[in-house]
Amino acid sequence: MSAPSRFDRGHTDDLMSFLAASPTPYHAVANAAERLEKAGFRQVAETDAWDGSAGGKYVLRGGAIIAWYVPEGTDAHTPFRIVGAHTDSPNLRVKPRPDSGAHGWRQVAVEIYGGPLLNSWLDRDLGLAGRLSLRDGSTRLVNVDRPLLRVPQLAIHLDRSVNADGLKLDKQRHMQPVWGMGDDVRDGDLIAFLEETAGLAPGEVTGWDLMVHSVEAPAYLGRDRELVAGPRMDNLLSVHAATAALAAVAGRGSGLSHIPVLAAFDHEENGSQSDTGADGPLLGGVLERSVFARGGSYEDRARAFAGSVCLSSDTGHAVHPNYAERHDPTHHPRVDGGPILKVNVNNRYATDGSGRAVFAAACEKADIPFQSFVSNNAMPCGTTIGPITAARHGIRTVDIGVAILSMHSARELCGANDPFLLANALVAFLDG
């Protein structure tokens, strides 16, 4: 199937706004929730009793969001159609004692989160954002979205062999950003700065989850602006598309034979084992409570799960023009070639033949092309929340995504049309 000529630049413009406004998982789920609220969804608290009423609902927990839409007259055993994604990206995160420095430089102590391309964070203007926990038990989002920090690279005059032998970075010694000058480094300086920035009283912050981000805005790139460069496409591109798709399907309000769900988890980049990760109880608990709130039994829950399907949507590798030999020679996904179906027979991805049929049907319904991705046999294969979701919940799961370059860089690259094509495929899937 040839690629369609249509290109909804409005969708891609909106994706870039979403990326820029979501420097952390906490900001991403807040922005997704705001969009769902505008589509008529309402937040429900996990500590409250739930009712079985129809309509759109969502749960926020840390950097994760689960949202679902219950059509009028839905039976307790009605199956779910789930789009799974993750909100976190590899980056540098602030340590418990952040204030450090030496030789007249003031620095921020950071820890490496996930598997970032470390060199992509060098000599880049960085902001600081995250979640502040306050003395009264509440939390506050903070975002210093201006050049605040920088990880300076060693000049070539002091490392003459760097171009010949390759850049070698020590995660502890070489990745600590500078944010000022002075020898009077004092514990509490960074948090005091953030308290002032957020309009909080001194000493009000008692905990924090903070991370750095590139302040360079997402942008169209290329002769014909046919590419998009930006941060955190892995995997906010999927979160954005899934949020838009769920809102669109819920807006139709009727005719659904299942319950559409968005499940965006945190901590995929370090194994998903947390209370907000895909390997935690969050998704299963929400789905079960939805069944029981509609008067269902354990039998209804079992029937609903057995009939459910999940698309695990995450970015994948487009063929790299400078390293084509690193890819499987018969599978070269191209940017703007449509979403990719990710396959690995050793179950690093959850896709099987029946799952392929589900995704092919959605793409055919949406009249869009799709591509297949499989790793070179000589290269280790990455993984996603797909196999975790399938194993933990017994739900048939299919791994898909969008092909990009520079995965895990501070700034990644995709085709400008692919996010729109992915969103169309997700609408067709959720619409059934």
Side-chain angles (χ1 to χ4, degrees), residues 161-235:
S161 63
V162 63
N163 288 332
D165 298 340
L167 180 64
K168 297 177 177 63
L169 294 170
D170 183 284
K171 292 180 180 180
Q172 178 62 37
R173 292 184 296 122
H174 299 151
M175 297 304 299
Q176 307 307 309
V178 299
W179 76 303
M181 299 181 294
D183 293 308
D184 58 336
V185 176
R186 296 181 299 271
D187 283 344
D189 279 357
L190 180 68
I191 300 306
F193 165 75
L194 292 175
E195 286 175 331
E196 182 180 1
T197 299
L200 298 169
E204 200 169 345
V205 173
T206 56
W208 52 88
D209 302 280
L210 300 167
M211 55 205 76
V212 307
H213 65 276
S214 170
V215 299
E216 186 179 1
Y220 288 105
L221 182 145
R223 185 193 66 181
D224 299 318
R225 303 176 76 212
E226 69 267 46
L227 300 168
V228 173
R232 299 175 295 280
M233 291 185 184
D234 179 11
N235 186 31

Side-chain angles (χ1 to χ4, degrees), residues 55-412:
K57 304 172 186 179
Y58 68 91
V59 165
L60 288 181
R61 184 193 290 185
I65 182 171
I66 311 292
W68 66 103
Y69 178 78
V70 180
E72 289 284 353
T74 299
D75 294 325
H77 61 266
T78 298
F80 301 94
R81 284 218 161 189
I82 307 160
V83 177
H86 67 89
T87 61
D88 59 319
S89 302
N91 57 16
L92 313 179
R93 302 204 171 188
V94 175
K95 289 184 175 181
R97 295 188 62 186
D99 299 290
S100 66
H103 309 292
W105 294 102
R106 301 179 70 183
Q107 295 177 275
V108 175
V110 297
E111 191 173 3
I112 310 301
Y113 177 82
L117 285 169
L118 294 178
N119 63 292
S120 71
W121 291 91
L122 302 179
D123 295 334
R124 189 179 293 274
D125 295 339
L126 303 173
L128 187 65
R131 179 179 65 175
L132 302 174
S133 297
L134 309 185
R135 193 172 297 278
D136 63 4
S138 65
T139 59
R140 179 78 63 86
L141 296 184
V142 64
N143 183 11
V144 184
D145 195 31
R146 65 171 178 84
L148 180 69
L149 308 104
R150 187 180 179 91
V151 183
Q153 187 171 187
L154 186 64
I156 194 169
H157 312 80
L158 304 177
D159 188 7
R160 295 285 185 178
S161 63
V162 63
N163 288 332
D165 298 340
L167 180 64
K168 297 177 177 63
L169 294 170
D170 183 284
K171 292 180 180 180
Q172 178 62 37
R173 292 184 296 122
H174 299 151
M175 297 304 299
Q176 307 307 309
V178 299
W179 76 303
M181 299 181 294
D183 293 308
D184 58 336
V185 176
R186 296 181 299 271
D187 283 344
D189 279 357
L190 180 68
I191 300 306
F193 165 75
L194 292 175
E195 286 175 331
E196 182 180 1
T197 299
L200 298 169
E204 200 169 345
V205 173
T206 56
W208 52 88
D209 302 280
L210 300 167
M211 55 205 76
V212 307
H213 65 276
S214 170
V215 299
E216 186 179 1
Y220 288 105
L221 182 145
R223 185 193 66 181
D224 299 318
R225 303 176 76 212
E226 69 267 46
L227 300 168
V228 173
R232 299 175 295 280
M233 291 185 184
D234 179 11
N235 186 31
L236 294 188
L237 188 157
S238 294
V239 175
H240 173 265
T243 302
L246 179 60
V249 171
R252 296 171 187 173
S254 62
L256 295 173
S257 60
H258 53 268
I259 298 171
V261 180
L262 159 66
F265 302 100
D266 201 352
H267 301 130
E268 189 271 348
E269 298 292 355
N270 61 8
S272 295
Q273 293 184 322
S274 71
D275 69 325
T276 54
D279 203 18
L282 181 58
L283 176 61
V286 168
L287 299 185
E288 287 178 347
R289 291 184 69 178
S290 175
V291 171
F292 298 152
R294 283 176 278 119
S297 62
Y298 181 81
E299 181 73 9
D300 291 313
R301 178 263 188 215
R303 292 175 67 187
F305 277 44
S308 296
V309 187
C310 175
L311 291 188
S312 165
S313 182
D314 203 344
T315 55
H317 302 295
V319 61
H320 197 300
N322 299 336
Y323 300 91
E325 74 281 358
R326 304 293 181 97
H327 300 263
D328 183 87
T330 60
H331 294 78
H332 281 174
R334 298 189 175 193
V335 297
D336 272 357
I340 55 173
L341 180 75
K342 301 160 79 170
V343 178
N344 178 263
V345 296
N346 293 302
N347 217 39
R348 300 292 285 173
Y349 303 130
T351 306
D352 63 10
S354 66
R356 186 186 195 280
V358 169
F359 186 59
C363 290
E364 182 177 358
K365 180 179 178 181
D367 189 27
I368 64 169
F370 73 92
Q371 312 174 81
S372 294
F373 170 83
V374 65
S375 289
N376 186 310
N377 288 339
M379 296 281 174
C381 180
T383 191
T384 67
I385 65 167
I388 294 171
T389 302
R392 183 170 183 86
H393 306 295
I395 291 175
R396 180 168 46 155
T397 303
V398 188
D399 272 295
I400 67 161
V402 162
I404 69 171
L405 291 182
S406 305
M407 187 184 295
H408 286 201
S409 172
R411 196 166 177 86
E412 297 162 325

